[in-house]
Amino acid sequence: MMRILVVEDERAIRDMIGFALKQAGLQCEESADAEHALASIVSNPPDLVLLDWMLPGMSGSDLIRRLRSDEITVGLPIIMLTARVEESDRIHGLELGADDYITKPFSPRELVARIKAVLRRTRELIDEKPIEHAGLSLDPVGHRVQTDGETLNLAPTEFRLLHFFMSNPDRVYSREQLLDRVWGRGVFVEERTVDVHIRRLRKALEDRAYDRFIQTVRGAGYRFSTDA
Ligand code: CA
């Protein structure tokens, strides 16, 4: 059974989420603050973290930064819960490394659908073979990207995006096609989300100049190519 850690200081919301997850056959664990959540994640990592943005003490954004900067937790799927309606705030959460966000108020049905979508897309690669292009290699089973023997740590969505690009090199994909192929059909994601994850992927690759493989094709979308 998939274990979901819910980090939310408001008890009524935690209870509502816990009930919805149990109904959907998911196991739910709860933390009322980020410090407790961090300790719980380190001692027994869940399959996914549902993280409220506004928390007393350490904020949701601080916790995401901590989790994404540690190689043990960089691959942990994270969905952010936010009451913020401004697009720039939601995009900020994705820029820090969240895999998706849900805006309050949300229905239990939407919540469960989005959790399942994130779990599905982070688990789909289990049977895939390793891929290599010009010194950049990706091992889907080990969730590992290597450049010249050095391991790069990618968050789940960036990892999946890179896997898709490396499996389909030298072809241009529009944002809409990338959403379909990488995020999956029927998910409630804005096209601008693609740009945020492309930026994060390039940043992760730029130390060894592999970001040049992720190319913007003006007016059309993005392409992975080892040709400059
Ligand atoms: Ca809160």
Side-chain angles (χ1 to χ4, degrees):
M1 197 189 268
M2 293 287 181
R3 283 174 50 239
I4 315 297
L5 176 66
V6 180
V7 191
E8 164 65 83
D9 55 312
E10 285 171 68
R11 183 171 193 147
I13 299 180
R14 274 204 320 270
D15 289 348
M16 184 273 267
I17 292 173
F19 183 75
L21 297 190
K22 274 168 214 145
Q23 293 281 78
L26 298 161
Q27 190 181 328
C28 175
E29 279 161 31
E30 299 179 8
S31 285
D33 61 65
E35 290 83 356
H36 176 270
L38 187 59
S40 158
I41 290 165
V42 169
S43 68
N44 189 11
D47 294 296
L48 182 144
V49 178
L50 198 57
L51 175 63
D52 186 36
W53 195 244
M54 302 292 278
L55 293 166
M58 192 199 297
S59 69
S61 53
D62 289 340
L63 180 59
I64 293 187
R65 272 197 209 95
R66 292 275 291 266
L67 295 173
R68 286 299 181 245
S69 63
D70 186 328
E71 65 177 298
I72 307 292
T73 51
V74 68
L76 187 62
I78 301 171
I79 299 179
M80 190 175 85
L81 289 176
T82 173
R84 299 173 177 227
V85 290
E86 293 295 319
E87 191 192 20
S88 59
D89 289 328
R90 303 199 304 265
I91 296 296
H92 181 57
L94 298 177
E95 275 165 352
L96 292 176
D99 297 291
D100 198 1
Y101 57 80
I102 299 175
T103 309
K104 293 178 183 174
F106 50 83
S107 72
R109 206 171 143 183
E110 181 191 2
L111 175 74
V112 168
R114 295 182 77 150
I115 288 174
K116 288 192 167 170
V118 169
L119 286 173
R120 193 167 51 238
R121 68 177 191 254
T122 52
R123 277 167 189 276
E124 242 165 25
L125 306 176
I126 302 295
D127 300 324
E128 299 274 338
K129 305 240 177 317
I131 317 172
E132 196 269 334
H133 287 287
L136 180 67
S137 64
L138 181 146
D139 169 15
V141 179
H143 190 93
R144 190 166 295 156
V145 176
Q146 290 193 308
T147 59
D148 314 314
E150 230 171 274
T151 302
L152 300 179
N153 293 316
L154 297 186
T157 301
E158 284 74 66
F159 186 87
R160 191 162 156 69
L161 192 54
L162 181 61
H163 179 264
F164 176 75
F165 275 135
M166 290 178 74
S167 308
N168 300 278
D170 302 310
R171 286 185 55 184
V172 181
Y173 292 94
S174 68
R175 288 168 182 78
E176 194 186 348
Q177 286 173 320
L178 288 171
L179 281 177
D180 265 6
R181 305 283 296 272
V182 178
W183 277 258
R185 275 175 197 281
V187 293
F188 326 71
V189 184
E190 297 157 289
E191 289 194 7
R192 201 176 147 192
T193 296
V194 174
D195 301 333
V196 177
H197 289 288
I198 293 273
R199 269 205 299 282
R200 283 185 49 86
L201 177 58
R202 280 183 173 144
K203 197 150 181 273
L205 296 173
E206 80 187 356
D207 266 1
R208 308 199 65 103
Y210 283 99
D211 56 317
R212 70 186 190 278
F213 291 175
I214 312 292
Q215 301 166 359
T216 302
V217 181
R218 196 176 284 272
Y222 297 101
R223 165 180 63 207
F224 177 91
S225 178
T226 55
D227 301 327

